[in-house]
Amino acid sequence: MGITQRRDRDRQEMRKLIVDTATQILVEEGIDQVSIRRIADRIEYSPGTIYLYFEDKDDILYEAHLEAFSAFLDAEMTVAAIPDPLERLQALGRVYVNFALSNQRMYDLMFLIPVPRIQNKEKYDWSVSIRTYQVLRTIVEECIAQGRIKPNHPDVVSMQVWATVHGLASLIIRQRIPMVDKELVSRMVDPVLNYAFDALKA
Amino acid sequence: MGITQRRDRDRQEMRKLIVDTATQILVEEGIDQVSIRRIADRIEYSPGTIYLYFEDKDDILYEAHLEAFSAFLDAEMTVAAIPDPLERLQALGRVYVNFALSNQRMYDLMFLIPVPRIQNKEKYDWSVSIRTYQVLRTIVEECIAQGRIKPNHPDVVSMQVWATVHGLASLIIRQRIPMVDKELVSRMVDPVLNYAFDALKA
Amino acid sequence: MGITQRRDRDRQEMRKLIVDTATQILVEEGIDQVSIRRIADRIEYSPGTIYLYFEDKDDILYEAHLEAFSAFLDAEMTVAAIPDPLERLQALGRVYVNFALSNQRMYDLMFLIPVPRIQNKEKYDWSVSIRTYQVLRTIVEECIAQGRIKPNHPDVVSMQVWATVHGLASLIIRQRIPMVDKELVSRMVDPVLNYAFDALKA
Amino acid sequence: MGITQRRDRDRQEMRKLIVDTATQILVEEGIDQVSIRRIADRIEYSPGTIYLYFEDKDDILYEAHLEAFSAFLDAEMTVAAIPDPLERLQALGRVYVNFALSNQRMYDLMFLIPVPRIQNKEKYDWSVSIRTYQVLRTIVEECIAQGRIKPNHPDVVSMQVWATVHGLASLIIRQRIPMVDKELVSRMVDPVLNYAFDALKA
DNA sequence: CATGAATGAGAGTTCATTCAT
DNA sequence: GATGAATGAACTCTCATTCAT
């Protein structure tokens, strides 16, 4: 391995350390608590050092949000083995909501706050996001192909499914459902998903 | 009109001025730009004056968020005249998404950021929120009663509908849909809503 | 009673209300919490009204501090009945320390913070302060006259006694005694006083 | 000298500069005038810089109060050479009062205001305070051992002495002695101390 | 590569006091 | 006599970012 390569590897490791630390703080204390200084403190480097690896704070959050998507992709994969596409679709829905509710601050970063770095269109990389979406879309296509759900353009169906699960999860996370009893809310999740998926059946 | 009444009215007007200004800044520049000082600057009062009318910043945002709900309630009412409950339900869905997309930063305040003042449970008033939800729920009940949609507990159905429209709107507002072409995204709204509501039909 | 007199009486009542309220806040929450606004809030008048009765905040604290002295004078009087002057002197010392420790925030106002209004020499009235001191001095004189304590100029002796009790009380109130165990400190009070008074005996 | 050491030294110098400046303002204008901004202004740094060296304002005052104790300890040491313990004790008393009256605002910080940082018990360091007290206590012990003063528990005697000198000094500093003539007050100091120490003699 | 000192701008909040009504 | 709206000047503290070393 040449010098350049080692440098590259070291650089990547440091970037990862920074991003992971940011994610850690995020998960433990919420996104408001993520600051350059706190990251620097935790990894025992100086704030200035951070800027040798990232252009700005937004960049770090961007990377963290990519990582989160990656973890989410793993979660999505757990349904791959289910043979029946409709069952797989339903399972994906449950996995989605479950991931969101179990990792609320991560989901916050992924879907609830304004996308980091979205302004710089030339720098924003949609590919992870697309891949995530493709998992859903592929299953939907299969369902349609096998006539298991009401037919339509696969993007339309995928969007509908996605909207439902994201909507459900985000209303819960952001505490917008006007039901005093918190437990009642969480007991609604399954029935709502069931109803939603039943409705899709051909 | 007595002195007390005039004072009361003046006070209410000032409160409204503050809240409206906060909303204005919010709409024009996003919620991050709303600060006590900027509000004070705009209305040409000193920062201290704000505190004569509101306990703290959170209180202002809370009020602004109530106002937004009120405007939203008005929007909801526009469907009241539609005789057929299923058509009314679909119309409500469209009104919902339309309101969200036309007033994105307002919707941000209403549904996407953490609720202002939610920590102070004793001070948070769910009533407006509940009323908004009731509009939906009532229509849903009627649809079920007339056998127009697949039957289930009205809260389950309402949540499903709400989740769908909120999910759709919020994914768009937060620019999470991985389709480069923005126009394409907005052209998806109607098909997705149509598909979603068709699926509900009994 | 003529109009002028009633006005005067009303005025005095209002002044008393203000001062008493200030004292109340002081005793309950410490001197830092005494603010014009909080006084006004408690008595349900507007801040402006306070200024009809007092020139400024300092004036209120000044009055409150006079009142405190008056209460203290009452406490001093409880020893008047003791026939033996030396015993009376010792009793006065105990009453002093006891008053200070039982009314710490009041004592704060009376002796630990800079005197309110002391800058305006022409307005500061020493008379209450002098009267308080005279109680001590008179007893001291009697002790000297009867040859019960080591003789000296009565002001010298009085100052020595006063310094001791004030010093003891204020070191305790301000938590300057470097003994970890708080209880130990309070158990020192009596022995120290005993030792001090024993030393004075002729 | 290595880099780390120089950095450490620089850091200490800056801390000292801040503390000294705080003390300066304190001495010149009183403790109320000490604010982060004023310190920053004087040393021509931005307010934020202060926070690179101290956690908060309380920390600065705490440090300043330690420094004051240190200076006071030096003053105490000037009596060490006096061979006779009783004379040494009397000299210490005079040094104490003299220090207090010559450095009134410093003494304010050391003994008259609420102790900085006392709430954070785990962070408050009593050691300087204890050392100061030990100087007194050691002399007292010697006096007792040699039968020069009336015997008692050394802490009781030390507290009595301390209370007397602190009481005297603080009544003068806080202008509580109701004698119009200021000079008269200062002419009382020596007689009172003499009387107090004479009384202690065995 | 890394430092860490420093900045400048800004945040929310509190206060004693004034004054037109 | 009383109001209470308003001020202006403070306050402590936090942050992302820069840059000479």
mmCIF file of all heavy atoms in Angstrom, chain B residues 25-41:
data_model
loop_
_atom_site.group_PDB
_atom_site.id
_atom_site.type_symbol
_atom_site.label_atom_id
_atom_site.label_comp_id
_atom_site.label_asym_id
_atom_site.label_seq_id
_atom_site.Cartn_x
_atom_site.Cartn_y
_atom_site.Cartn_z
ATOM 1 N N ILE B 25 -42.149 36.299 9.417
ATOM 2 C CA ILE B 25 -40.729 35.951 9.328
ATOM 3 C C ILE B 25 -40.593 34.466 9.041
ATOM 4 O O ILE B 25 -39.832 34.040 8.175
ATOM 5 C CB ILE B 25 -39.994 36.305 10.632
ATOM 6 C CG1 ILE B 25 -40.083 37.807 10.899
ATOM 7 C CG2 ILE B 25 -38.539 35.867 10.560
ATOM 8 C CD1 ILE B 25 -39.523 38.225 12.247
ATOM 9 N N LEU B 26 -41.377 33.707 9.769
ATOM 10 C CA LEU B 26 -41.378 32.263 9.589
ATOM 11 C C LEU B 26 -41.651 31.886 8.140
ATOM 12 O O LEU B 26 -40.931 31.081 7.538
ATOM 13 C CB LEU B 26 -42.460 31.672 10.482
ATOM 14 C CG LEU B 26 -42.760 30.193 10.314
ATOM 15 C CD1 LEU B 26 -42.000 29.411 11.355
ATOM 16 C CD2 LEU B 26 -44.239 29.896 10.422
ATOM 17 N N VAL B 27 -42.672 32.497 7.579
ATOM 18 C CA VAL B 27 -43.071 32.147 6.214
ATOM 19 C C VAL B 27 -42.015 32.608 5.214
ATOM 20 O O VAL B 27 -41.672 31.898 4.274
ATOM 21 C CB VAL B 27 -44.445 32.760 5.882
ATOM 22 C CG1 VAL B 27 -44.720 32.702 4.395
ATOM 23 C CG2 VAL B 27 -45.530 32.048 6.673
ATOM 24 N N GLU B 28 -41.485 33.798 5.469
ATOM 25 C CA GLU B 28 -40.530 34.347 4.504
ATOM 26 C C GLU B 28 -39.152 33.700 4.589
ATOM 27 O O GLU B 28 -38.496 33.502 3.569
ATOM 28 C CB GLU B 28 -40.375 35.855 4.739
ATOM 29 C CG GLU B 28 -41.593 36.646 4.290
ATOM 30 C CD GLU B 28 -41.504 38.089 4.765
ATOM 31 O OE1 GLU B 28 -40.385 38.526 5.112
ATOM 32 O OE2 GLU B 28 -42.545 38.771 4.790
ATOM 33 N N GLU B 29 -38.723 33.395 5.818
ATOM 34 C CA GLU B 29 -37.328 32.990 5.950
ATOM 35 C C GLU B 29 -37.118 31.680 6.704
ATOM 36 O O GLU B 29 -35.973 31.276 6.925
ATOM 37 C CB GLU B 29 -36.539 34.102 6.650
ATOM 38 C CG GLU B 29 -36.851 35.492 6.102
ATOM 39 C CD GLU B 29 -36.011 36.552 6.790
ATOM 40 O OE1 GLU B 29 -34.837 36.263 7.084
ATOM 41 O OE2 GLU B 29 -36.528 37.664 7.033
ATOM 42 N N GLY B 30 -38.190 31.069 7.110
ATOM 43 C CA GLY B 30 -38.047 29.813 7.832
ATOM 44 C C GLY B 30 -37.992 30.012 9.325
ATOM 45 O O GLY B 30 -37.668 31.095 9.822
ATOM 46 N N ILE B 31 -38.288 28.957 10.029
ATOM 47 C CA ILE B 31 -38.486 29.068 11.471
ATOM 48 C C ILE B 31 -37.201 29.434 12.211
ATOM 49 O O ILE B 31 -37.248 30.038 13.282
ATOM 50 C CB ILE B 31 -39.077 27.752 12.028
ATOM 51 C CG1 ILE B 31 -39.709 28.028 13.389
ATOM 52 C CG2 ILE B 31 -38.015 26.662 12.101
ATOM 53 C CD1 ILE B 31 -40.686 26.975 13.800
ATOM 54 N N ASP B 32 -36.067 29.088 11.652
ATOM 55 C CA ASP B 32 -34.795 29.398 12.316
ATOM 56 C C ASP B 32 -34.551 30.892 12.424
ATOM 57 O O ASP B 32 -33.790 31.344 13.268
ATOM 58 C CB ASP B 32 -33.620 28.789 11.542
ATOM 59 C CG ASP B 32 -33.650 27.284 11.618
ATOM 60 O OD1 ASP B 32 -34.348 26.742 12.489
ATOM 61 O OD2 ASP B 32 -32.977 26.644 10.787
ATOM 62 N N GLN B 33 -35.155 31.618 11.526
ATOM 63 C CA GLN B 33 -34.923 33.054 11.509
ATOM 64 C C GLN B 33 -35.826 33.814 12.459
ATOM 65 O O GLN B 33 -35.699 35.029 12.606
ATOM 66 C CB GLN B 33 -35.091 33.589 10.085
ATOM 67 C CG GLN B 33 -34.049 33.062 9.133
ATOM 68 C CD GLN B 33 -32.641 33.260 9.670
ATOM 69 O OE1 GLN B 33 -32.274 34.337 10.109
ATOM 70 N NE2 GLN B 33 -31.840 32.186 9.672
ATOM 71 N N VAL B 34 -36.754 33.106 13.069
ATOM 72 C CA VAL B 34 -37.644 33.780 14.006
ATOM 73 C C VAL B 34 -36.939 33.958 15.338
ATOM 74 O O VAL B 34 -36.628 32.987 16.009
ATOM 75 C CB VAL B 34 -38.937 32.968 14.222
ATOM 76 C CG1 VAL B 34 -39.833 33.685 15.221
ATOM 77 C CG2 VAL B 34 -39.658 32.751 12.909
ATOM 78 N N SER B 35 -36.650 35.189 15.682
ATOM 79 C CA SER B 35 -36.056 35.463 16.984
ATOM 80 C C SER B 35 -36.772 36.668 17.578
ATOM 81 O O SER B 35 -37.324 37.501 16.869
ATOM 82 C CB SER B 35 -34.560 35.744 16.856
ATOM 83 O OG SER B 35 -34.343 37.056 16.409
ATOM 84 N N ILE B 36 -36.735 36.728 18.886
ATOM 85 C CA ILE B 36 -37.375 37.841 19.590
ATOM 86 C C ILE B 36 -36.906 39.176 19.029
ATOM 87 O O ILE B 36 -37.691 40.072 18.758
ATOM 88 C CB ILE B 36 -37.028 37.771 21.093
ATOM 89 C CG1 ILE B 36 -37.611 36.498 21.703
ATOM 90 C CG2 ILE B 36 -37.531 38.997 21.807
ATOM 91 C CD1 ILE B 36 -39.059 36.552 22.020
ATOM 92 N N ARG B 37 -35.611 39.254 18.854
ATOM 93 C CA ARG B 37 -35.044 40.505 18.360
ATOM 94 C C ARG B 37 -35.565 40.873 16.980
ATOM 95 O O ARG B 37 -35.878 42.033 16.709
ATOM 96 C CB ARG B 37 -33.540 40.388 18.277
ATOM 97 C CG ARG B 37 -32.829 40.805 19.525
ATOM 98 C CD ARG B 37 -31.451 40.243 19.406
ATOM 99 N NE ARG B 37 -30.417 40.987 20.059
ATOM 100 C CZ ARG B 37 -30.174 40.955 21.354
ATOM 101 N NH1 ARG B 37 -30.968 40.288 22.145
ATOM 102 N NH2 ARG B 37 -29.148 41.602 21.851
ATOM 103 N N ARG B 38 -35.650 39.887 16.087
ATOM 104 C CA ARG B 38 -36.117 40.196 14.731
ATOM 105 C C ARG B 38 -37.573 40.616 14.741
ATOM 106 O O ARG B 38 -37.977 41.516 13.994
ATOM 107 C CB ARG B 38 -35.915 38.983 13.824
ATOM 108 C CG ARG B 38 -34.478 38.541 13.789
ATOM 109 C CD ARG B 38 -33.923 38.282 12.419
ATOM 110 N NE ARG B 38 -34.668 38.842 11.320
ATOM 111 C CZ ARG B 38 -34.650 38.319 10.111
ATOM 112 N NH1 ARG B 38 -33.943 37.217 9.873
ATOM 113 N NH2 ARG B 38 -35.310 38.885 9.142
ATOM 114 N N ILE B 39 -38.357 39.953 15.570
ATOM 115 C CA ILE B 39 -39.748 40.372 15.682
ATOM 116 C C ILE B 39 -39.800 41.820 16.156
ATOM 117 O O ILE B 39 -40.478 42.658 15.563
ATOM 118 C CB ILE B 39 -40.515 39.473 16.674
ATOM 119 C CG1 ILE B 39 -40.563 38.029 16.170
ATOM 120 C CG2 ILE B 39 -41.931 40.001 16.885
ATOM 121 C CD1 ILE B 39 -41.124 37.041 17.179
ATOM 122 N N ALA B 40 -39.039 42.087 17.218
ATOM 123 C CA ALA B 40 -39.031 43.438 17.779
ATOM 124 C C ALA B 40 -38.593 44.459 16.735
ATOM 125 O O ALA B 40 -39.204 45.518 16.591
ATOM 126 C CB ALA B 40 -38.117 43.493 18.994
ATOM 127 N N ASP B 41 -37.556 44.121 15.995
ATOM 128 C CA ASP B 41 -37.076 45.036 14.957
ATOM 129 C C ASP B 41 -38.184 45.353 13.962
ATOM 130 O O ASP B 41 -38.436 46.512 13.650
ATOM 131 C CB ASP B 41 -35.893 44.406 14.206
ATOM 132 C CG ASP B 41 -34.584 44.652 14.941
ATOM 133 O OD1 ASP B 41 -34.627 45.294 16.005
ATOM 134 O OD2 ASP B 41 -33.531 44.201 14.471
#
